Amino acid sequence: MPTPVPITPKALHEYEPHVGEERIAELRALAAPLKDARVLHLNATAFGGGVAEILNSFIPLLRDVGIDAHWHVMEASAEFFNVTKSMHNAMQGMYIPWNKAMADLWRETNEANANAMDGKYDFVYIHDPQPAGILEYLRERDPDMLGAKWVWRCHLDTTEALPEVWGFLRGYISIYDALVFTLAEYVKEPITGPKLEVIWPAIDPTSTKNSEISPVVIRDILARYEIDPDRPIIAQISRFDPWKDPLGVLDVYKTLKEEYPALQLLMVAAMANDDPEAWSFYERIVRKAGEDYDIHVLTNLNGVGNLEVNAFQSAADVLLQKSIREGFGLVISEALWKSKALVGSHAGGIPLQLDYGRAGPVAGTTQEFVDAIRTLLEDERARKEMGKRGKEHVREHFLTTRLLKDHLSLMNSLAGVT
């Protein structure tokens, strides 16, 4: 059955130093009509990736404003996650040989999870393709569950989705009360029936990953991983998969290394339970890195957690995100919140977070990345100015408090509260 995820309490007042008293009061007023509403968020994994990270902060804040919020993860086999990783890639434009066996396993797993669900809710959020069929399989079994308002939250860029997979999924999501996408252009085609909303993801400024840490802690962590804080560092923090172009990151580094022999590269990822493809790319990255000991390929299996990621982002001279496809890329906001310079690609929500070049360069080709990073490495003043602009841009648009406001507004709208 879907498994409950333990929640660590958080308090909304902790965010007041970052966004001000007025915004906190606005959020409590928005939450008042929803007091004691039962809300369920269901996704594929409690660890690894942006969805789990968002829910770790978002669920406790819903509770703090008086909403009875819960987070469950679906029960599924490794074979199912192989199928849904293929779906994930297909939804972002990769050709995959979608077939009946894959579709049947997806249906069977969704039906089994639907049959195991219990409890009554006022709102149910289903995240991404993995559990998207649960509502369909509840329609006849448990009418009480259908009394809730159902929301499908898509965190993927579906603009180039493979027609076979999009067509398969579309029938399941069209029965929801609302569909939430990250950007307006991700809505592949009009869907009659559900309310369509665009809500940007956000980062938690009070989390271990995003709180300010001392230089002493940063240096201690770097020393643990044999990273020299007195030599230049560039870094990409993201999953190891084809859409993040990790092999292209190595090309950027190797070109820059010819000019900056002391340069170090950090490539850091969390190996999530629902991402079996990551191991294949990890092996490819390590092979391509060869015996260059200035390339550090690190994961949670090396003891890298949120504090370590914070230290790596804080220590880097320049960060990059060379994604080919990107649902949103919250690592951008994480880096900018630490007042760091970052070069990002044109994919997904990256240009939006970079304020279309005002908070950081937007690059396309490998050479454009090389040129932009070189410029920043040579100009410390430019790095600091860019970092300052980036932090204020994140404060205004990409913190958890704004995300909470958007979802409270959506739930009020679905409940008929004006």
Side-chain angles (χ1 to χ4, degrees):
M1 65 176 291
T3 305
V5 179
I7 302 299
T8 302
K10 295 184 78 73
L12 189 57
H13 69 77
E14 297 170 9
Y15 296 78
E16 192 172 309
H18 302 294
V19 300
E21 183 179 345
E22 187 175 330
R23 286 195 185 178
I24 300 303
E26 179 187 12
L27 290 169
R28 293 205 179 277
L30 270 174
L34 299 164
K35 182 174 172 56
D36 297 326
R38 283 180 56 79
V39 178
L40 173 65
H41 282 256
L42 193 150
N43 75 314
T45 180
F47 175 79
V51 180
E53 194 158 316
I54 288 169
L55 292 178
N56 262 308
S57 296
F58 187 65
I59 300 298
L61 285 183
L62 286 174
R63 291 184 176 184
D64 189 64
V65 297
I67 293 169
D68 185 12
H70 301 264
W71 175 15
H72 292 177
V73 295
M74 67 188 306
E75 186 76 23
S77 65
E79 186 181 4
F80 172 82
F81 287 127
N82 283 324
V83 167
T84 57
K85 182 61 179 181
S86 293
M87 289 183 77
H88 177 108
N89 288 336
M91 292 285 281
Q92 296 197 130
M94 180 185 289
Y95 174 76
I96 59 108
W98 183 250
N99 58 49
K100 183 177 182 299
M102 297 166 79
D104 286 346
L105 178 59
W106 183 89
R107 290 191 186 99
E108 290 163 6
T109 304
N110 272 264
E111 184 174 13
N113 277 266
N115 289 338
M117 286 181 69
D118 57 15
K120 294 183 180 180
Y121 297 93
D122 298 291
F123 301 92
V124 179
Y125 279 77
I126 301 293
H127 292 263
D128 284 332
Q130 295 97 324
I134 283 177
L135 176 56
E136 170 69 23
Y137 294 107
L138 279 171
R139 295 174 91 177
E140 294 184 6
R141 184 186 73 81
D142 193 345
D144 286 339
M145 286 290 289
L146 299 180
K149 296 296 183 181
W150 285 72
V151 180
W152 185 61
R153 181 29 169 132
C154 181
H155 297 269
L156 306 175
D157 175 355
T158 64
T159 51
E160 300 294 331
L162 196 69
E164 301 95 295
V165 175
W166 174 255
F168 171 80
L169 193 62
R170 187 175 182 215
Y172 291 93
I173 64 174
S174 62
I175 62 174
Y176 281 74
D177 296 288
L179 308 178
V180 178
F181 291 85
T182 296
L183 297 174
E185 53 266 37
Y186 288 1
V187 183
K188 183 174 173 61
E189 59 185 345
I191 300 176
T192 304
K195 178 182 178 67
L196 293 178
E197 287 285 319
V198 172
I199 297 178
W200 303 331
I203 64 167
D204 184 350
T206 72
S207 70
T208 302
K209 186 187 283 189
N210 296 311
S211 297
E212 187 173 351
I213 54 177
S214 75
V216 172
V217 171
I218 293 170
R219 292 182 77 92
D220 284 348
I221 290 171
L222 295 183
R224 191 194 318 159
Y225 292 96
E226 299 182 347
I227 301 162
D228 187 347
D230 299 318
R231 293 163 52 201
I233 299 169
I234 63 173
Q236 176 159 303
I237 317 288
S238 63
R239 283 191 181 195
F240 296 150
D241 72 29
W243 305 112
K244 312 299 184 184
D245 195 18
L247 303 181
V249 171
L250 288 169
D251 291 334
V252 171
Y253 162 78
K254 289 184 176 184
T255 301
L256 287 165
K257 186 73 168 176
E258 296 175 4
E259 301 178 55
Y260 302 95
L263 187 65
Q264 301 166 95
L265 171 65
L266 312 186
M267 299 185 70
V268 184
M271 308 297 271
N273 294 334
D274 64 341
D275 189 6
E277 188 179 34
W279 282 112
S280 170
F281 266 84
Y282 174 85
E283 291 168 0
R284 293 175 67 181
I285 292 164
V286 170
R287 283 200 302 271
K288 185 165 181 173
E291 295 186 1
D292 186 336
Y293 296 108
D294 286 332
I295 300 174
H296 301 267
V297 184
L298 303 170
T299 75
N300 50 301
L301 302 179
N302 301 113
V304 174
N306 287 333
L307 180 63
E308 287 74 18
V309 169
N310 188 335
F312 298 149
Q313 290 174 325
S314 299
D317 295 282
V318 181
L319 291 111
L320 68 156
Q321 191 62 41
K322 201 176 180 296
S323 300
I324 299 166
R325 292 273 181 195
E326 188 66 70
F328 194 69
L330 282 175
V331 290
I332 308 300
S333 286
E334 291 170 6
L336 298 183
W337 184 247
K338 299 172 183 70
S339 300
K340 305 305 293 189
L342 185 142
V343 181
S345 72
H346 296 276
I350 294 175
L352 175 69
Q353 292 174 85
L354 290 173
D355 201 14
Y356 301 98
R358 289 181 285 275
V362 181
T365 65
T366 295
Q367 190 59 50
E368 287 172 353
F369 270 89
V370 169
D371 292 342
I373 294 170
R374 180 195 299 114
T375 298
L376 289 169
L377 287 173
E378 294 288 342
D379 192 341
E380 183 179 4
R381 181 178 176 182
R383 294 201 303 270
K384 289 182 177 179
E385 289 177 354
M386 205 160 279
K388 183 178 179 181
R389 287 197 299 271
K391 180 161 188 171
E392 292 311 307
H393 185 56
V394 172
R395 189 191 310 278
E396 185 63 27
H397 299 289
F398 304 117
L399 296 185
T400 310
T401 43
R402 193 272 309 149
L403 181 69
L404 180 61
K405 177 183 176 181
D406 288 350
H407 281 287
L408 291 174
S409 297
L410 172 60
M411 288 189 287
N412 275 320
S413 173
L414 291 172
V417 177
T418 56

